[in-house]
Amino acid sequence: MSNMSKTNSGPVAKPLPHDAAKLHVTGTARYVDDIPVPAGCLHLAFGVSTIAKGQITSMNLDAVRASDGVVMVMAAQDLPFTNDVSPSIHDEPLLSDGSVHYVGQPLFLVVANSHRAARVAARKGKIEYAEETPILTVDQALQADSRFEDGPRIYQKGDAAAVIDAAARTVEGEMELGGQEHFYLEGQAALTLPQEGGDMLVTSSTQHPTEIQHKVAEAIGLPMHAVRVEIRRMGGGFGGKESQGNALAVSCAVAARATGKPCKMRYDRDDDMVITGKRHDFRISYRAGFGDDGVLQGVEFTHLVRCGWAQDLSLPVADRAMLHSDNAYSIPAIRIESHRLKTNTQSATAYRGFGGPQGMVGIERVMDHIAHDLGLDPVKVRQANYYDAPPSGGSAPQGISDKKKDNTTPYGMEVSDFELHGMTERLLESSDYEARRAEIAEWNKGQDHLKRGIGFSPVKFGISFTLTHLNQAGALVHVYQDGSIHLNHGGTEMGQGLFQKVAQVAASRFGVGMDLVKITATDTAKVPNTSATAASSGSDLNGMAVKAACDTIRDRMAEFLAQRHQCDVGSVRFESGQIYVGEDVLTFEEAASQCYQGRISLSATGFYKTPKVEWDRIKGQGRPFFYFAYGASVTEVVVDQLTGENRILRSDILHDAGASLNPDLDIGQVEGGYVQGAGWLTTEELVWDGKGRLSTHAPSTYKIPACSDRPDEFNVELWSGENREDSIYRSKAVGEPPFMLGISTYLALSHAVSQFGDAYPALDAPATAEQLWSAIRRVRDGV
Amino acid sequence: MDITFHLNGEEVTLSGVSPTATLLDWLREDRLMTGTKEGCNEGDCGACSVMVTDDRGSKALNACLLFMPQLNGKSIRTVEGVSSPDGTLHPVQQAMITHHGSQCGFCTPGFVMSMVTAHKNGATDHDVQLAGNLCRCTGYAPIIRAAEAVEDQPVPTWITEEPQLREPVPTAQNHSPYAPRSSDELAAIYEKTPQAVLVAGATDVALWVTKGLRDLEDVIFLDGCTDLKQVEITDDEVWFGAMVDMNTMRDAIAPLHPSYGEMIRRYASQQVRAAATVGGNIANGSPIGDNPPALIALGATLHLRQGGNRRSLPLEDFFVDYGKQDRQPGEFVEAVSFARQEDTLRCYKLSKRFDQDISAVLGAFNVTTKDGVVTEARIAFGGMAATPKRASHVEAALVGQPWTRETISAAQAEFDKDFTPMTDMRASDLYRLESARNLLARYYAELNGETVSVLEVVL
């Protein structure tokens, strides 16, 4: 950390457009499939299983080999080294080892002279199976004790069962919470160029270049130094490119090694949806005890998590769901039991929020149920249960009740940065919540078939990887003798604006304009041993690493210039593209040139590790998070009882991005996250048939929000605060937290459905038109 | 097949084009123009949208659903051809930057092309224009801000001044792919090659190629049959040639039967409607095509032609069974027509998403009353049976009865006799049957002036 020289704030906090915006709108931004390839490039496709579980008894690939344009066909026995693409426990063969675990599992690999030729050939395999009864549902998995880990993981605080039994009132219930297809617009893709001596250059649409490097190295039997992975940008990731790209990159590497030719693989959309993992679906059951004031005394949750056939990242996902089962509420006694069930379906994987959204929906459902039970405004119940604001928390009021709360989470972490009291007050006011709730009640009285509803939900999301060692990042910065700056770090760009935000940090450290900073592709040869760009950590980690690298160079420059210009190093200022050295003013270019001629090193690495975090995931105790990011939303909907058709009418959001590095890009994350979260809980329904085949494997049947599904009125604001922890410029992570703002849509629908009768709506999710129609019948007619 | 067209203002002539090569693959793989993206390869995401101009104007189309022969004689503009020759950005491009309309950027070229086309056409119903472009990052709000920001800006000259359209290269008539220039030519060719696949807008057939990976041997492209694109509305009759695209049909229908017009708006995206034809939607015989129930409720007549022979039949009789229509080898749909009538038609489309989704249930209701008594009822459904089908028992329970809530209740009980729907990924059998029943109640409420659709509620 530098304190020798000074800069002004520079471009940090400015609402600059995405660094690649001009490339995007002109069609010149390159994605993996757009990169010009050398002549002779080969194209790959998988032949996949058509059954969910069984053993392969014979695999006749003659017709595949004979198909037009086919160069080579590989099965498991043809792989030269490790047959594994798992990011965790080596349970995920690239090509089936004879066992089949889900419909869509890769069995063999076709290498052909065109994408289409490979796809055509891949369908010509004649596979015979000894079919076994698949385990498809959580019920079947529980019954068969088919699970990851020995038994359920349990986190608890106090004696929840006893507290609930003694409580004045209780509610209990169960809900199905569906998974979600990422639907990144750019499907999975990889390209390999074989190098001399067996080395491999890989371009992969991945959030985790180091993992690709690691898996490719294993697969071609070389040390990691022989494999270089590069990625400039992805066309969307959302967690779906944290581990799911391994299979394509490894296939390309293996095929390139075997043929000596460049190899490219991209999934057709249907293949992508059938082969790759999605968000984990959950069944959540709960029992809660509370007082007549709605204050929660104890709650028990059971999570049945459908993890699919391989472990992938399911354990930390399921852990994070448990860690968000309190959301914003101080809960004196709680017990969370989490079953990680192994099923013959796609291996569920990371998806924006990483289990957090599922855990949060659980407790928000409980709050909604309590409010319904007591006939109270759900907002009041929530406020009564909030954690207390920190003692010196500025103007933010304390909890509504005067009694001081136990401000530790179920996992023993002190909540010392709670922002939601002030944020909630502000949002209720800006959204005119109370008046609208009253007006809705009036309006509903005059309607037979249509009812409106309004819902509020808060978000408190823990920031840091729960696997503590992942909380590190590296950067590499060069200043060239003409004053231009080459910026590189371990984060990947998937649309979130990370590269721009980090470039703003770099420019600010040098006190120069953005035009001097060249953003470059993520490259394992420049920054090694990186963590996935995940857990919302991109700007926090890489921004700090880049700052460290820049400050190292800047301090070397300042020291040299101070000496040369005979002034105190503490007085050297880097500001507005100029460097003030004593009485002299230099341009950054002149300074760089002088430093070069003075034989000053103008290249530096930077490194950062998140302080304060420590976590024992077995005990469920510690401080897994550096800090929390907060948000709150109010959504209004209208529902039709005849058909269950529904629509969002208005949404108001207040989100905490700390002291934002770039408020416009952050608002983009908030708007997009909200709509994606609302889609998860409404129209995005994954359907498997009785044989384990995914029926919704294309956008014709799997419906993400379209343009007109966004709220008619959509008011988004950032909370003007700053991170209480020492993060990069006191900003906060913003990738995942806004996704959970969409939960207010589910709650608004619950409110609207409750207008049709007395029973609690008990909505499952996604709350499709059919789900709502069915819930209305239950509430209205008791059927 | 030989074709000629303009690509971003430059003339391109190709010979020996495969009839099933798509524009998207040709742009990306042959031309190495990778600005146009493949997101789904089935016309649902819009990432491959391009602007196609012909003598009927400019429209956005999905390049993944366009076979190269369909381009003959047209002008294509891709994202690479939207900035001025000197590099000045199109106002849409600048607004997308200013308003942060791109995040990952992969859907952006498609959005830009849809927006540039809408801007050129002066269209400001942005949600409709962009219903066929999916974005997973932004939540759409900034894209709409960008679209609104350029509404009043002039269309750049380099967009208005497309080069003179090419005269299409004439196509040989003695082998596939055929490209007849009139329905007479079509009738002669198809009679001789009844095994050929007819390609109208290709919104269905293209999927046989991109997803089914089929090769098509004999293909007849119908786009040149301009006499099949006629819309005729007289005092007595409404007549749509089979090749009338669904955007044209929407414009023609909306003033006569607004509810049908609104259904067509939701039936598919702007790009798909611009390509899809009413004849194709009928002739492929899908049980979930949205036009047949509406047309059946209007009492439409289907006009078929085989060589020199023509015949007409009530549309509902065309649908014999799942995958089976009353169409002889070499016979094609020439037109569909229906009588001018008072507008009592209401079309209700139920689907998971409002825009660009396949119906779980489509109900079309057309009930005529006189002095409070039902004189005629034509009610037809899609998604409820193996074919588009009339609800004859329901109709019978209405006709001759007073138009009252009691009559509606009695008729609702008849649905079980008409339909035994199935369960699939779109809806359960129970939901289909019960919501169909409820739609009759909706129809009654709507004719009584009640607000019945969540789409009508505005704050």
Side-chain angles (χ1 to χ4, degrees):
Chain A
M1 179 77 54
S2 161
N3 51 17
M4 284 164 53
S5 51
K6 299 188 186 96
T7 60
N8 69 350
S9 69
V12 154
K14 295 224 161 50
L16 303 177
H18 193 283
D19 61 277
K22 187 173 177 188
L23 303 181
H24 294 154
V25 301
T26 52
T28 50
R30 271 190 191 163
Y31 302 80
V32 170
D33 194 40
D34 302 336
I35 296 169
V37 292
C41 182
L42 300 173
H43 301 260
L44 277 52
F46 285 130
V48 300
S49 69
T50 53
I51 65 160
K53 189 180 187 198
Q55 300 298 319
I56 296 171
T57 54
S58 80
M59 191 148 77
N60 180 343
L61 303 179
D62 293 347
V64 183
R65 291 196 178 87
S67 193
D68 280 352
V70 170
V71 172
M72 193 171 68
V73 181
M74 298 176 104
Q77 65 271 16
D78 305 314
L79 298 172
F81 296 95
T82 317
N83 179 16
D84 177 65
V85 291
S86 161
S88 52
I89 57 159
H90 308 291
D91 61 345
E92 199 173 330
L94 170 68
L95 300 173
S96 168
D97 55 10
S99 304
V100 172
H101 302 279
Y102 76 106
V103 178
Q105 184 181 341
L107 306 181
F108 61 91
L109 177 65
V110 181
V111 183
N113 59 19
S114 79
H115 177 64
R116 186 175 175 88
R119 287 178 67 211
V120 168
R123 294 193 189 177
K124 293 183 176 172
K126 294 195 172 48
I127 318 292
E128 285 172 28
Y129 308 93
E131 213 168 332
E132 297 162 24
T133 308
I135 293 169
L136 300 175
T137 65
V138 288
D139 292 315
Q140 290 164 353
L142 267 186
Q143 178 140 31
D145 198 33
S146 172
R147 62 171 74 238
F148 298 100
E149 299 189 301
D150 296 337
R153 187 127 314 282
I154 297 166
Y155 293 167
Q156 55 192 331
K157 171 175 154 185
D159 185 348
V163 168
I164 297 165
D165 288 343
R169 302 184 75 94
T170 59
V171 291
E172 57 188 299
E174 183 175 286
M175 75 174 292
E176 303 290 340
L177 184 51
Q180 186 175 27
E181 161 63 34
H182 303 84
F183 210 84
Y184 27 66
L185 261 288
E186 178 212 24
Q188 305 278 347
L191 168 68
T192 51
L193 301 178
Q195 308 291 301
E196 63 185 28
D199 291 3
M200 200 61 69
L201 173 58
V202 183
T203 308
S204 167
S205 182
T206 179
Q207 295 172 237
H208 200 350
T210 290
E211 180 71 0
I212 296 284
Q213 180 192 22
H214 172 214
K215 300 312 289 189
V216 165
E218 280 181 359
I220 60 174
L222 292 173
M224 285 171 78
H225 71 206
V227 178
R228 185 180 145 208
V229 179
E230 189 183 84
I231 178 63
R232 175 60 182 82
R233 67 174 58 79
M234 285 162 271
F238 314 114
K241 292 174 179 171
E242 186 166 343
S243 62
Q244 303 298 297
N246 292 358
L248 298 91
V250 166
S251 294
C252 288
V254 167
R257 179 183 180 276
T259 59
K261 300 271 181 60
C263 287
K264 179 153 86 171
M265 186 173 202
R266 66 180 172 90
Y267 289 157
D268 172 74
R269 177 62 59 182
D270 293 63
D271 292 344
D272 199 312
M273 292 181 74
V274 166
I275 294 170
T276 66
K278 297 149 208 335
R279 183 185 293 283
H280 293 69
D281 55 52
F282 276 50
R283 181 186 295 160
I284 299 177
S285 46
Y286 58 90
R287 195 167 75 98
F290 51 98
D292 292 327
D293 53 1
V295 173
L296 194 55
Q297 292 155 355
V299 63
E300 292 174 328
F301 285 110
T302 304
H303 293 172
L304 302 184
V305 186
R306 197 164 66 135
C307 301
W309 71 284
Q311 185 169 301
D312 189 77
L313 306 168
S314 291
L315 301 191
V317 167
D319 288 354
R320 188 171 276 266
M322 299 171 81
L323 295 177
H324 287 80
S325 292
D326 61 334
N327 194 16
Y329 313 112
S330 165
I331 306 173
I334 184 167
R335 182 179 188 279
I336 310 146
E337 180 176 309
S338 169
H339 299 258
R340 295 83 196 270
L341 300 165
K342 184 175 182 174
T343 53
N344 295 112
T345 48
Q346 289 82 357
S347 179
T349 191
Y351 192 138
R352 200 175 196 174
F354 207 68
Q358 292 95 318
M360 211 176 276
V361 166
I363 187 67
E364 291 306 326
R365 165 69 178 265
V366 168
M367 288 294 156
D368 194 51
H369 201 163
I370 290 173
H372 188 270
D373 183 66
L374 294 170
L376 295 175
D377 181 341
V379 173
K380 295 278 192 303
V381 172
R382 288 187 167 85
Q383 287 175 308
N385 282 288
Y386 273 166
Y387 285 105
D388 282 342
S392 57
S395 61
Q398 294 285 311
I400 287 178
S401 116
D402 293 335
K403 220 169 75 186
K404 198 164 152 33
K405 295 233 180 71
D406 171 2
N407 244 34
T408 56
T409 64
Y411 44 91
M413 176 174 167
E414 183 74 17
V415 178
S416 56
D417 60 2
F418 196 74
E419 302 280 358
L420 278 166
H421 292 285
M423 290 178 71
T424 302
E425 288 303 328
R426 166 79 175 277
L427 179 66
L428 294 179
E429 194 182 311
S430 69
S431 66
D432 201 17
Y433 173 84
E434 274 190 46
R436 282 167 61 204
R437 195 172 149 89
E439 187 271 326
I440 287 167
E442 270 312 299
W443 189 88
N444 286 347
K445 282 183 199 159
Q447 296 291 322
D448 281 344
H449 297 313
L450 306 183
K451 303 285 181 193
R452 282 155 60 197
I454 192 164
F456 164 86
S457 62
V459 171
K460 164 181 139 288
F461 191 77
I463 301 299
S464 292
F465 287 99
T466 56
L467 189 53
T468 303
H469 81 255
L470 297 178
N471 295 295
Q472 59 170 309
L476 177 65
V477 175
H478 307 316
V479 173
Y480 294 101
Q481 54 189 298
D482 67 353
S484 65
I485 298 162
H486 175 106
L487 171 64
N488 196 268
H489 54 80
T492 59
E493 176 65 38
M494 60 195 99
Q496 79 277 45
L498 169 68
F499 281 13
Q500 183 73 327
K501 285 163 72 169
V502 173
Q504 288 175 258
V505 169
S508 297
R509 299 316 292 174
F510 288 116
V512 300
M514 295 293 285
D515 54 327
L516 283 190
V517 180
K518 169 61 80 179
I519 293 168
T520 60
T522 316
D523 185 339
T524 57
K526 289 184 184 168
V527 175
N529 307 321
T530 59
S531 296
T533 306
S536 306
S537 67
S539 308
D540 281 12
L541 297 179
N542 296 291
M544 279 296 204
V546 162
K547 174 170 172 273
C550 293
D551 288 356
T552 300
I553 297 171
R554 198 187 67 195
D555 289 351
R556 285 184 202 144
M557 291 175 79
E559 193 172 10
F560 169 76
L561 294 170
Q563 226 166 37
R564 181 180 162 129
H565 294 261
Q566 296 293 302
C567 71
D568 173 28
V569 69
S571 71
V572 178
R573 288 180 296 130
F574 291 68
E575 220 172 272
S576 311
Q578 316 273 18
I579 298 174
Y580 298 86
V581 192
E583 301 298 303
D584 300 321
V585 182
L586 305 171
T587 63
F588 191 75
E589 180 183 348
E590 289 164 348
S593 173
Q594 288 184 12
C595 288
Y596 164 68
Q597 289 177 30
R599 297 192 297 175
I600 299 302
S601 166
L602 293 175
S603 175
T605 59
F607 185 78
Y608 175 73
K609 55 183 175 182
T610 311
K612 298 186 181 178
V613 286
E614 51 163 343
W615 171 239
D616 182 336
R617 68 168 287 271
I618 303 301
K619 288 190 187 140
Q621 285 294 315
R623 176 175 180 168
F625 306 123
F626 184 31
Y627 63 88
F628 295 101
Y630 297 90
S633 62
V634 171
T635 297
E636 181 175 344
V637 299
V638 57
V639 176
D640 171 18
Q641 69 158 338
L642 294 175
T643 60
E645 287 171 299
N646 62 91
R647 202 160 74 80
I648 299 176
L649 298 170
R650 174 174 168 181
S651 305
D652 294 79
I653 292 171
L654 183 58
H655 193 81
D656 163 33
S660 171
L661 291 174
N662 182 324
D664 280 16
L665 295 187
D666 285 355
I667 281 176
Q669 289 299 296
V670 176
E671 289 172 333
Y674 171 85
V675 169
Q676 201 177 85
W680 170 48
L681 295 169
T682 56
T683 60
E684 295 188 35
E685 186 176 32
L686 290 162
V687 180
W688 285 265
D689 70 9
K691 298 261 189 194
R693 291 176 297 216
L694 180 67
S695 317
T696 49
H697 53 74
S700 53
T701 46
Y702 182 78
K703 310 313 282 190
I704 71 166
C707 193
S708 69
D709 294 312
R710 79 189 186 289
D712 285 357
E713 186 177 344
F714 199 4
N715 303 311
V716 176
E717 261 193 289
L718 296 181
W719 175 243
S720 57
E722 60 173 35
N723 198 334
R724 290 165 202 258
E725 296 293 346
D726 188 15
S727 61
I728 183 75
Y729 287 95
R730 299 273 173 184
S731 64
K732 284 193 179 184
V734 74
E736 293 163 294
F739 178 87
M740 284 149 277
L741 297 166
I743 295 171
S744 60
T745 309
Y746 169 86
L747 298 167
L749 289 167
S750 177
H751 181 230
V753 170
S754 75
Q755 304 296 297
F756 290 102
D758 294 332
Y760 179 62
L763 296 182
D764 286 334
T768 59
E770 177 167 351
Q771 278 291 337
L772 291 167
W773 167 82
S774 173
I776 291 167
R777 271 168 37 116
R778 233 171 19 241
V779 165
R780 189 191 56 208
D781 311 330
V783 295
Chain B
M1 178 172 178
D2 298 347
I3 58 171
T4 181
F5 57 95
H6 281 110
L7 175 63
N8 297 332
E10 279 182 42
E11 186 177 313
V12 176
T13 299
L14 302 172
S15 52
V17 171
S18 157
T20 55
T22 64
L23 173 61
L24 177 61
D25 285 348
W26 180 79
L27 285 171
R28 292 185 58 82
E29 293 177 6
D30 295 8
R31 199 77 176 183
L32 302 181
M33 289 170 61
T34 53
T36 308
K37 306 301 182 198
E38 178 184 316
C40 70
N41 214 14
E42 64 165 34
D44 270 303
C45 78
C48 65
S49 299
V50 297
M51 182 168 79
V52 177
T53 302
D54 60 16
D55 52 15
R56 304 168 77 87
S58 295
K59 52 197 174 188
L61 291 172
N62 290 310
C64 71
L65 300 182
L66 267 177
F67 293 131
M68 292 300 287
Q70 295 176 272
L71 306 177
N72 200 4
K74 310 206 176 201
S75 291
I76 316 302
R77 203 157 277 276
T78 69
V79 70
E80 289 93 344
V82 165
S83 306
S84 83
D86 71 5
T88 305
L89 294 180
H90 187 285
V92 160
Q93 292 174 310
Q94 187 54 55
M96 283 288 276
I97 296 173
T98 307
H99 294 272
H100 309 283
S102 70
Q103 285 183 23
C104 87
F106 200 82
C107 71
T108 311
F111 268 97
V112 165
M113 293 319 298
S114 287
M115 293 162 80
V116 163
T117 308
H119 180 250
K120 180 178 185 182
N121 292 333
T124 54
D125 50 345
H126 304 302
D127 283 5
V128 177
Q129 298 294 323
L130 298 176
N133 292 86
L134 296 179
C135 169
R136 194 54 153 166
C137 295
T138 64
Y140 303 99
I143 296 172
I144 296 300
R145 282 177 213 126
E148 287 170 349
V150 299
E151 280 175 8
D152 297 330
Q153 295 193 37
V155 179
T157 51
W158 64 90
I159 295 294
T160 48
E161 292 165 7
E162 283 289 352
Q164 192 67 34
L165 284 170
R166 292 295 308 169
E167 187 61 24
V169 173
T171 309
Q173 295 292 318
N174 55 358
H175 61 80
S176 174
Y178 303 94
R181 309 301 302 269
S182 68
S183 57
D184 287 341
E185 283 184 25
L186 166 61
I189 293 166
Y190 197 30
E191 194 175 25
K192 273 186 244 158
T193 55
Q195 76 283 5
V197 173
L198 301 184
V199 178
T203 55
D204 193 21
V205 174
L207 303 189
W208 306 357
V209 174
T210 62
K211 297 295 172 177
L213 301 182
R214 281 170 59 179
D215 289 322
L216 304 180
E217 294 201 351
D218 294 306
V219 183
I220 305 177
F221 289 98
L222 306 182
D223 187 59
C225 302
T226 46
D227 59 331
L228 293 179
K229 295 182 179 176
Q230 301 303 315
V231 177
E232 281 179 49
I233 301 175
T234 66
D235 289 346
D236 304 321
E237 195 182 47
V238 180
W239 175 282
F240 291 106
M243 284 295 292
V244 171
D245 69 80
M246 292 309 302
N247 278 340
T248 304
M249 179 149 172
R250 178 185 171 214
D251 291 344
I253 283 274
L256 307 175
H257 300 290
S259 174
Y260 191 178
E262 165 65 3
M263 182 272 275
I264 297 176
R265 180 189 71 75
R266 287 183 48 205
Y267 154 110
S269 66
Q270 187 77 11
Q271 294 94 317
V272 169
R273 275 188 268 107
T277 63
V278 63
N281 195 232
I282 294 169
N284 80 3
S286 166
I288 46 178
D290 282 342
N291 281 300
L295 289 167
I296 290 170
L298 287 167
T301 300
L302 189 67
H303 305 278
L304 297 161
R305 177 173 180 186
Q306 181 188 38
N309 301 323
R310 289 186 162 91
R311 66 183 174 115
S312 299
L313 73 168
L315 178 57
E316 57 262 45
D317 294 346
F318 178 69
F319 302 103
V320 180
D321 202 347
Y322 183 77
K324 189 168 178 224
Q325 296 87 43
D326 179 6
R327 187 163 70 89
Q328 303 307 310
E331 191 174 43
F332 62 92
V333 173
E334 203 167 30
V336 63
S337 67
F338 56 86
R340 290 291 298 273
Q341 52 198 283
E342 285 283 301
D343 177 41
T344 47
L345 177 73
R346 296 295 181 275
C347 302
Y348 301 130
K349 178 178 168 73
L350 303 184
S351 49
K352 277 186 197 159
R353 189 173 70 194
F354 284 108
D355 288 345
Q356 209 209 169
D357 195 359
I358 294 165
S359 300
V361 174
L362 189 122
F365 297 82
N366 196 5
V367 176
T368 316
T369 58
K370 192 172 180 205
D371 303 328
V373 174
V374 176
T375 52
E376 194 187 356
R378 296 187 65 88
I379 298 174
F381 278 86
M384 294 288 288
T387 61
K389 187 169 176 283
R390 280 180 79 169
S392 6
H393 289 89
V394 176
E395 292 173 355
L398 293 171
V399 174
Q401 301 299 316
W403 184 239
T404 61
R405 214 176 277 276
E406 290 68 35
T407 299
I408 296 296
S409 297
Q412 281 181 310
E414 299 293 299
F415 271 88
D416 309 68
K417 295 180 189 158
D418 285 320
F419 299 110
T420 314
M422 61 182 238
T423 294
D424 66 8
M425 76 295 256
R426 295 192 181 88
S428 69
D429 51 357
L430 181 71
Y431 176 73
R432 283 195 161 101
L433 188 62
E434 296 303 320
S435 61
R437 215 192 295 281
N438 284 347
L439 290 179
L440 181 60
R442 175 188 282 187
Y443 181 65
Y444 181 78
E446 183 170 0
L447 291 199
N448 282 344
E450 289 180 41
T451 303
V452 294
S453 168
V454 296
L455 293 176
E456 296 168 50
V457 178
V458 282
L459 292 182

